[in-house]
Amino acid sequence: MTNNNASLGTRRRWIVPTVAITAAVVLLASFISRDPAVPVRAVTAQRGVIRSVVSTNGKVEPMRNFEAHAPIATTVRKILVREGDHVKKGQLLVKLNDAEARSQAARAKAQVLGSDADVSALRSGGNREEVLTLESQIVKARTDGDTAQRNLDALRHLRQQNAASPGEIKNAEDQLKRANADLNLLLQKQKNRYSQPEIARVEAQKSEAQAAFAAAEDVLNQLNIRAPFDGVVYSLPVLPGAYLSPGDLVLQEADLSQVRVRAFVDEPDVGRLAAADKIEVTWDAMPERTWQGTVSVIPAVIKLHATRNVGETTCIVDNRDFKLLPSVNVGVTIIAAEHRDVLTVPREAVHQEDNKAYVYQIVGNELQRRYVRTSISNLTQVEVSEGLAENALVALGPANSKPLRNGLAVKVVH
């Protein structure tokens, strides 16, 4: 009797929780059956503008740039401008010490004058003294020749009268030949005094002297630095009195009315670029400004830029207010495509199955799969070109973890 009572007590203890669990299941099933709709977020397909863009970074470069470097070892004599100054073409900007350069230019000028004198002497047959001496010798030779001719004529006349011997006539003829030979030698000397190697040597010396003088003049001009065009002095890394080694940078000037922006496009995006694509340039220092340009160069090679493989493209930007400065880093947005007045939906509304795109349109609180044709897209939006009507209500995703499917009952939540 005792064992039967114990068994009955045990059964009663299990019956109570079983009944409670069953009631809970029935209550939950009743609740679910009363409200089976899955909460979803939704959006209405609307017409608007969609842009497919390539976002990257870039650097500003001057279109026209002038760098002045020290041509020789020297010192800074005087600085006439400051960084940021607007300067005019021909304006004197910096003066470097030119004492040694002036001395070298003077020596080179003297060499040029000396070589000019040598060439003049060569062309005229010698220097002034040599020319006068030669002309005097030619006059004397002509006189000697005339005298010898008259003497020979006289002796021949006397010979006809048997008053002169054959030996005397022979001596007179020899004397006339010597006089004519001396004259011809002097005339030849006057005409062709210098040989071709001598002429070539003198002309080469003149060319060398002229080149040395031109180089000295060039150095002298570089020591007085002038603006080659209207622009802005944007770098001036020297101080008055500073020592400069050959090649040291003295000054940089640029025409900043237009600047070049060099953009670094990641390798996967290079194929999306086309000539004349619009470009928008931004700078963190002036977040309210946007500069406009177009793609002017399509990358022809991929380069390693820091840790990225990039293609470089450029655009020209109007900078008449001189706000963009050389070498600053900027943000670059390249508009690869832009479509206006087209139907768009958020990216998360578009699904893929077997390379086919579809959306879930909400019709009568029920999901209906709609296969669509898409066009361009960006990080947030997709253009739907076919398969969906304007103002159609499209599901984005469930508010809980339940997956979406065709025919699913839903309710829109915000």
Side-chain angles (χ1 to χ4, degrees), residues 41-94:
R41 295 174 292 108
V43 69
T44 301
Q46 298 286 343
R47 290 192 173 275
V49 178
I50 184 171
R51 302 195 307 179
S52 177
V53 302
V54 176
S55 297
T56 184
N57 66 304
K59 187 175 287 290
V60 176
E61 302 173 349
M63 288 286 292
R64 299 176 66 193
N65 188 54
F66 167 66
E67 292 187 358
H69 297 264
I72 58 174
T74 184
T75 57
V76 180
R77 182 178 172 189
K78 194 172 184 180
I79 298 176
L80 304 173
V81 291
R82 295 176 297 179
E83 285 189 3
D85 281 357
H86 292 256
V87 296
K88 295 293 184 181
K89 180 178 179 180
Q91 180 178 337
L92 185 60
L93 309 178
V94 177

Side-chain angles (χ1 to χ4, degrees), residues 244-262:
L244 299 174
S245 298
D248 283 352
L249 179 65
V250 180
L251 173 144
Q252 287 179 291
E253 179 210 348
D255 176 6
L256 298 182
S257 59
Q258 282 189 325
V259 293
R260 179 187 295 107
V261 175
R262 186 173 301 277

Side-chain angles (χ1 to χ4, degrees), residues 123 129 157 179 207 279 293 350 394 413:
R123 291 174 178 172
E129 180 180 357
H157 181 70
S207 297
I279 290 182
V350 181
V394 178
V413 297

Side-chain angles (χ1 to χ4, degrees), residues 144-397:
D144 291 345
D146 292 342
T147 301
Q149 183 65 54
R150 287 194 298 272
N151 186 41
L152 177 59
D153 292 341
L155 288 174
R156 285 175 176 170
H157 181 70
L158 292 174
R159 176 60 180 161
Q160 292 176 355
Q161 300 174 358
N162 293 322
S165 67
E168 290 175 317
I169 292 176
K170 182 68 170 67
N171 289 335
E173 289 175 345
D174 293 341
Q175 187 175 1
L176 178 60
K177 288 180 181 179
R178 286 194 298 272
N180 288 335
D182 291 342
L183 177 60
N184 289 333
L185 178 61
L186 291 172
L187 291 174
Q188 187 68 23
K189 188 176 182 181
Q190 185 184 46
K191 182 178 180 181
N192 297 310
R193 180 175 182 181
Y194 298 100
S195 66
Q196 286 301 319
E198 289 175 317
I199 294 173
R201 177 178 57 81
V202 172
E203 289 179 344
Q205 288 174 344
K206 179 181 179 179
S207 297
E208 183 179 355
Q210 289 175 332
F213 178 65
E217 284 282 286
D218 184 55
V219 169
L220 198 57
N221 290 333
Q222 292 183 58
L223 292 170
N224 293 284
I225 301 171
R226 297 181 180 274
F229 48 78
D230 294 353
V232 177
V233 175
Y234 69 91
S235 177
L236 191 60
V238 297
L239 296 173
Y243 175 79
L244 299 174
S245 298
D248 283 352
L249 179 65
V250 180
L251 173 144
Q252 287 179 291
E253 179 210 348
D255 176 6
L256 298 182
S257 59
Q258 282 189 325
V259 293
R260 179 187 295 107
V261 175
R262 186 173 301 277
F264 308 105
V265 181
D266 289 314
E267 183 178 354
D269 292 323
V270 170
R272 299 172 59 192
L273 302 182
D277 279 350
K278 293 180 180 179
I279 290 182
E280 295 178 351
V281 177
T282 58
W283 184 24
D284 289 343
M286 301 184 68
E288 74 284 356
R289 285 290 304 274
T290 300
W291 291 264
Q292 307 292 331
T294 57
V295 171
S296 57
V297 174
I298 301 299
V301 65
I302 301 299
K303 302 178 181 179
L304 182 63
H305 180 71
T307 59
R308 301 160 56 196
N309 289 323
V310 301
E312 295 183 2
T313 185
T314 61
C315 72
I316 308 303
V317 173
D318 191 309
N319 190 43
R320 280 174 287 186
D321 58 0
F322 305 107
K323 295 298 185 181
L324 283 177
L325 305 178
S327 299
V328 301
N329 295 303
V330 292
V332 176
T333 300
I334 303 172
I335 304 170
E338 182 178 72
H339 292 176
R340 295 180 175 274
D341 193 30
V342 295
L343 202 63
T344 63
V345 295
R347 285 185 69 97
E348 60 181 314
V350 181
H351 308 274
Q352 293 284 338
E353 182 182 65
D354 297 330
N355 294 324
K356 292 182 179 181
Y358 64 91
V359 299
Y360 285 116
Q361 182 177 350
I362 301 174
V363 180
N365 294 325
E366 183 179 279
L367 295 186
Q368 293 185 4
R369 179 178 292 190
R370 298 278 191 257
Y371 285 99
V372 296
R373 184 188 299 274
T374 61
S375 182
I376 65 173
S377 63
N378 54 33
L379 293 176
T380 60
Q381 297 290 113
V382 176
E383 177 189 349
V384 178
S385 57
E386 292 182 13
L388 192 65
E390 185 176 354
N391 296 321
L393 189 62
V394 178
L396 297 178

